[in-house]
Amino acid sequence: MEEALYSELGFFNTDNVRSSEKGDFLTSPEVSKYFGVVIRSWIDSKNFHENIVEFGSGTGSLIEQIGLKNITAVELSSTARKVIHNKGILSVKSYEDLNILSADLVYGNEILDNIPCSIGVYRENDWYEKVVDISKDDFSYAYQPIRDEQLNWINLNKIEPNKIYEVELQTNIDNLIANLVSRFQPKSFLFFDYGYEQKNRKKRKYKSLLRTYKKHHLSVDPIDDPGNVDITYDINFSAVKENLKALGYNVSLKQQREFLLENGFNDIYDDLKNQYTSLEGIERLKINSELNGLKAILDSNGLGGFYCLVAEKI
Ligand SMILES: C[S@@+](CC[C@H](N)C(=O)[O-])C[C@H]1O[C@@H](n2cnc3c(N)ncnc32)[C@H](O)[C@@H]1O
């Protein structure tokens, strides 16, 4: 996954930023410019002034919408960093390049699902990892005894052995967050992403939650077209929550929809609705399209149904 997404030939190293209209998927800030405006209301209510860091910024549109000068983008893709730079936003490739000692807030939209996971499978009364055999001309899957860190993750998160589901092992997410905590002691984390809670895993009918996207559509098996498809998975938010709790944070999980409604969504919507009624012609059409964007980020069957994780240092 790491290689297929971020290497020289990786999916995120291309001419167009992938998370854009011309790219392969649309995210909340690309669908509505008000997504960041609502996040800004939340930031203001928390009085966060010092060193705010956005992870996985894509085109940088969310930072523009939030409209604060002190946000730095951490973005792995050089294509995306160029676009961000041209918008006059400070960006670095890795959190290790950040020139700060502490942070008020670390946040990100649809970043956790792009952090490479590994795959655990339970068979013949033991846990294994599903790996990619690279020794032949074509890629194929193979099984290896599970590594200690991955097995610990399974045990820590009390994932029961079962022969039906593959398990996306989020050790890289845990390690990234732990590193950020030890380096910058952020007062708060805020993440939006698609995912589920552990107790509801069985309700998901898919054997694997890993999948690929290309040009706004579900695509092939990850090993069939590596480098040309996005590889992503549903985030086990219970695991992210437990990890942050162990690091000394109070964590709440809610739907994106709930977060938006709690932080001023209706005021923006009502204001636009009033403008819509008073305008005519093209101007009215423009407001209508903004209203549609707002509805899309609130829709609980779509982007509004994403998880929102808020963690605050105790
Ligand atoms: C799905 S896109 C989301 C972009 C943007 N946040 C949005 O909502 O439109 C994920 C982005 O995260 C970046 N990324 C993935 N892993 C990263 C990492 N470890 N550090 C920084 N950026 C990363 C990818 O290059 C990609 O641009």
Side-chain angles (χ1 to χ4, degrees):
M1 186 168 172
E2 178 93 48
E3 208 51 38
L5 292 183
Y6 304 113
S7 66
E8 209 180 315
L9 295 176
F11 175 78
F12 283 106
N13 275 328
T14 48
D15 295 340
N16 281 329
V17 178
R18 297 293 194 172
S19 50
S20 65
E21 217 163 328
K22 280 195 203 139
D24 291 76
F25 45 85
L26 277 180
T27 56
S28 293
E30 302 300 334
V31 168
S32 171
K33 63 180 180 185
Y34 297 104
F35 184 61
V37 175
V38 179
I39 294 179
R40 170 64 182 273
S41 300
W42 177 81
I43 291 177
D44 287 347
S45 75
K46 298 284 172 192
N47 269 324
F48 290 149
H49 303 298
E50 301 288 326
N51 301 328
I52 301 181
V53 179
E54 182 180 288
F55 253 84
S57 301
T59 63
S61 50
L62 184 52
I63 296 185
E64 286 185 297
Q65 294 162 11
I66 293 175
L68 285 168
K69 288 269 166 279
N70 59 345
I71 304 183
T72 308
V74 178
E75 173 53 65
L76 204 50
S77 149
S78 56
T79 313
R81 275 204 313 282
K82 263 182 226 143
V83 175
I84 295 168
H85 176 79
N86 289 340
K87 290 180 172 170
I89 298 166
L90 197 64
S91 70
V92 291
K93 183 177 180 187
S94 155
Y95 71 87
E96 290 174 352
D97 307 324
L98 283 168
N99 199 9
I100 56 173
L101 295 173
S102 63
D104 271 359
L105 171 66
V106 173
Y107 73 94
N109 184 60
E110 289 200 41
I111 166 69
L112 300 179
D113 69 89
N114 271 147
I115 298 200
C117 66
S118 39
I119 306 289
V121 286
Y122 192 76
R123 36 165 37 206
E124 290 147 15
N125 298 324
D126 246 322
W127 284 103
Y128 289 82
E129 279 184 72
K130 184 173 165 184
V131 298
V132 180
D133 184 346
I134 56 170
S135 64
K136 303 179 196 105
D137 283 348
D138 286 331
F139 295 136
S140 59
Y141 289 116
Y143 296 90
Q144 292 273 329
I146 195 163
R147 291 167 291 176
D148 288 346
E149 189 190 6
Q150 279 61 24
L151 185 59
N152 284 343
W153 190 91
I154 286 178
N155 293 331
L156 199 69
N157 290 292
K158 301 185 181 66
I159 293 176
E160 286 167 18
N162 80 86
K163 295 194 172 82
I164 307 167
Y165 300 113
E166 295 182 354
V167 182
E168 293 75 27
L169 306 164
Q170 300 174 178
T171 50
N172 286 335
I173 295 182
D174 282 7
N175 291 339
L176 174 65
I177 291 178
N179 288 339
L180 291 171
V181 170
S182 91
R183 237 178 132 130
F184 308 115
Q185 312 85 45
K187 284 188 193 152
S188 191
F189 286 94
L190 174 68
F191 290 118
F192 298 89
D193 222 313
Y194 31 84
Y196 65 99
E197 285 173 72
Q198 180 62 33
K199 60 177 192 255
N200 296 330
R201 173 62 183 95
K202 286 194 183 110
K203 289 188 195 156
R204 309 218 142 198
K205 57 182 186 220
Y206 302 104
K207 177 176 161 225
S208 163
L209 299 175
L210 192 87
R211 57 189 177 274
T212 66
Y213 284 100
K214 187 178 170 70
K215 299 265 168 242
H216 304 277
H217 291 288
L218 271 175
S219 192
V220 294
D221 189 282
I223 58 172
D224 288 345
D225 201 8
N228 292 320
V229 294
D230 183 21
I231 308 175
T232 176
Y233 54 100
D234 284 329
I235 295 300
N236 179 337
F237 270 99
S238 308
V240 183
K241 180 177 176 174
E242 289 310 314
N243 180 37
L244 274 160
K245 272 167 71 180
L247 292 166
Y249 286 78
N250 267 332
V251 185
S252 73
L253 284 181
K254 54 185 82 177
Q255 280 202 330
Q256 172 168 312
R257 177 188 169 83
E258 223 180 313
F259 177 90
L260 296 176
L261 290 171
E262 283 170 5
N263 291 286
F265 178 95
N266 280 335
D267 293 342
I268 298 170
Y269 190 86
D270 292 346
D271 186 41
L272 281 176
K273 198 84 204 178
N274 287 337
Q275 289 185 45
Y276 176 82
T277 332
S278 62
L279 291 169
E280 283 176 8
I282 294 288
E283 294 310 314
R284 190 173 208 203
L285 267 183
K286 281 187 194 159
I287 300 293
N288 192 41
S289 133
E290 292 188 8
L291 281 165
N292 285 338
L294 270 174
K295 283 184 207 152
I297 60 170
L298 194 73
D299 179 4
S300 42
N301 291 319
L303 295 165
F306 280 23
Y307 272 87
C308 163
L309 178 146
V310 182
E312 292 179 318
K313 185 113 192 114
I314 300 170

